[in-house]
Amino acid sequence: MTTALQARADRALGRRLAEITLGVDALETSAAGAAGVRSERFVPIFNGAGLIEPARFASFAEAIAALDALAAEVAALPEGRRKTFLTAMVRSVRAAARIFSGESLSLAERLTEHVAVPAGPVPDETIASIHAELDRLMTKRGYVRGALAERVERWEAETHVDVADIPRVYDELLATAKARTDALVFDTGDYTMPLNAQRAVPYAARCSFDEGHMDINLDVPWSRSGIKHLVCHEVFPGHSTQLLSTRRAVETGKSAADALLCTVNGAPGSVQEGIGDQGIELIDWVESVDDAAHVQLRRLQTATGTNAAWHRNVTGWSHERTVAYFREVGFGSEAWSELRTGRAEDPFDAPFLASYWFGSEAVRIVRERTPAAARSALLATLYDELNTPESLLMFEPQA
């Protein structure tokens, strides 16, 4: 098959994958509405309006049959990063359809099949190494007395932004992040995302792309570095930037239509979260010890989130022990630890706590080993295509 024919076949395959995935999402949303229960929002944000229409299925069994047929086509593709991703993506959508149809999957199955990450906790020695780096940074910052958890707590308390000042700090950091993203990653045009302050909500913050604003929980304490991470993770150069970039890539024919599925709660989610968690580094914006310490604290909290979900659902930890683990090992605030424990206890959401760790580590590893001359190729891979941690780690810039 010629290169042109291969590209055409890939575009057709990617379109069918997008149509089927949206069809599964539509079926789940309809079934949830009919049953009077909350939709799991398999495709929480879709920026492909006018480009792709959902396939219509009468049942999840019909959707699974379509996915099995697609899997056979994927199996015939040449080995490589694209096949690795598509194999995982088809398996992920199939696992979601099984879950939505009422089938019970273990957490290990959900991790490997639905989320496309390894099953199991982050090793204790990895968490110990993050603790050691935080210890070094706390010492450098001047926090030298007491246990590490106490020092991190004092550091956070003494660097938090007054609630009344959060909107100003957010706007300031958003403007700088946008300028750096436009120059270094992708020109976002006139896009922006104003702040929407909230209280008593079950999340710290989230990107409400469809509504065009940033939801932030004021019950959670925020430092300047924490708000910087939020901006980078959710907007510039994180989720919003990826949504804008994938839309352009599909519109211009640079990528197949499956690139529009970047927010799917399944196989693409890990690298999507990894781009967000590595956002501050992707625009070269670590400019203080506080920033560096927050990067490590974020790594610690994604690692402990992975472990908490595993131990709560597999080992049998209690709610109280899980909260204590987040507090004592992950150095989380009381409010944050309760929120994360709630996620670890949610049957659909629990496996996705692991997506942050594995996605961020994959993006970090590839980012650190990619030479400056290949930066544009890496950015195209991250922002114009979809990947799992496994397929992203196969990235090798052309000499």
Side-chain angles (χ1 to χ4, degrees):
M1 185 181 293
T2 66
T3 301
L5 287 175
Q6 286 176 335
R8 192 178 308 159
D10 184 71
R11 295 291 187 274
L13 194 156
R15 174 170 287 273
R16 286 200 302 281
L17 175 57
E19 291 168 345
I20 292 170
T21 303
L22 292 174
V24 170
D25 177 65
L27 195 59
E28 188 277 331
T29 301
S30 176
V37 298
R38 181 195 72 178
S39 169
E40 298 294 358
R41 301 190 72 211
F42 182 46
V43 187
I45 302 172
F46 184 65
N47 196 31
L51 299 178
I52 298 293
E53 293 297 323
R56 297 191 177 189
F57 298 119
S59 66
F60 288 111
E62 186 180 340
I64 289 171
L67 287 161
D68 288 343
L70 197 61
E73 290 187 55
V74 172
L77 294 175
E79 297 300 323
R81 190 161 52 83
R82 178 66 170 162
K83 180 179 180 178
T84 297
F85 168 72
L86 290 173
T87 300
M89 183 62 178
V90 172
R91 185 170 61 239
S92 174
V93 180
R94 192 180 191 281
R98 291 166 61 196
I99 293 166
F100 298 149
S101 69
E103 187 174 342
S104 179
L105 274 65
S106 69
L107 182 65
E109 290 174 314
R110 287 284 311 279
L111 288 164
T112 57
E113 295 186 31
H114 185 195
V115 187
V117 298
V122 177
D124 289 342
E125 54 267 30
T126 300
I127 291 178
S129 71
I130 302 172
H131 279 168
E133 179 61 12
L134 267 174
D135 178 54
R136 185 187 71 81
L137 291 166
M138 288 296 100
T139 300
K140 187 174 182 180
R141 185 65 170 76
Y143 294 90
V144 297
R145 296 186 179 183
L148 180 58
E150 296 169 350
R151 290 152 59 198
V152 170
E153 186 174 11
R154 288 202 307 274
W155 166 67
E156 289 194 290
E158 293 173 10
T159 58
H160 83 279
V161 175
D162 289 341
V163 171
D165 209 26
I166 286 177
R168 180 193 62 78
V169 174
Y170 173 85
D171 288 345
E172 173 192 319
L173 293 172
L174 185 76
T176 303
K178 176 177 172 58
R180 297 182 78 91
T181 297
D182 290 349
L184 298 173
V185 178
F186 171 77
D187 187 349
T188 60
D190 60 359
Y191 182 83
T192 190
M193 181 166 278
L195 192 68
N196 179 39
Q198 296 183 307
R199 290 187 181 275
V201 290
Y203 51 81
R206 68 182 182 185
C207 165
S208 289
F209 184 85
D210 290 341
E211 289 77 30
H213 55 69
M214 168 71 69
D215 297 325
I216 186 170
N217 186 350
L218 296 183
D219 294 329
V220 176
W222 292 95
S223 66
R224 180 181 178 85
S225 294
I227 298 172
K228 179 186 282 193
H229 167 82
L230 173 66
V231 165
C232 290
H233 185 105
E234 303 289 353
V235 194
F236 305 121
H239 298 340
S240 292
T241 302
Q242 188 181 12
L243 281 157
L244 297 171
S245 182
T246 51
R247 169 87 190 200
R248 184 192 66 175
V250 173
E251 283 180 325
T252 59
K254 186 177 181 180
S255 298
D258 60 275
L260 295 166
L261 303 174
C262 61
T263 71
V264 166
N265 279 319
S270 291
V271 173
Q272 180 208 17
E273 298 297 351
I275 291 169
D277 267 2
Q278 294 289 310
I280 189 171
E281 286 96 343
L282 286 168
I283 57 173
D284 193 23
W285 202 21
V286 177
E287 51 186 358
S288 68
V289 176
D290 285 342
D291 286 350
H294 193 274
V295 166
Q296 292 305 314
L297 182 61
R298 177 64 186 173
R299 287 188 74 218
L300 177 64
Q301 293 179 340
T302 58
T304 52
T306 302
N307 291 2
W310 182 264
H311 290 304
R312 182 74 177 97
N313 293 279
V314 178
T315 308
W317 281 7
S318 66
H319 175 91
E320 291 74 19
R321 183 174 180 183
T322 308
V323 172
Y325 176 75
F326 276 126
R327 290 283 290 126
E328 296 165 9
V329 180
F331 305 160
S333 68
E334 194 65 40
W336 183 90
S337 299
E338 285 285 353
L339 288 174
R340 274 297 191 265
T341 298
R343 291 192 64 183
E345 293 170 340
D346 184 283
F348 187 79
D349 202 21
F352 291 103
L353 286 180
S355 68
Y356 293 94
W357 171 259
F358 289 105
S360 185
E361 287 298 286
V363 175
R364 179 186 65 79
I365 290 167
V366 174
R367 175 182 59 77
E368 289 179 352
R369 75 185 184 197
T370 299
R375 175 180 169 81
S376 61
L378 174 60
L379 292 175
T381 298
L382 290 174
Y383 284 90
D384 295 338
E385 306 171 13
L386 298 190
N387 279 281
T388 62
E390 181 184 9
S391 68
L392 180 61
L393 289 168
M394 296 169 66
F395 171 79
E396 293 184 4
Q398 297 297 314

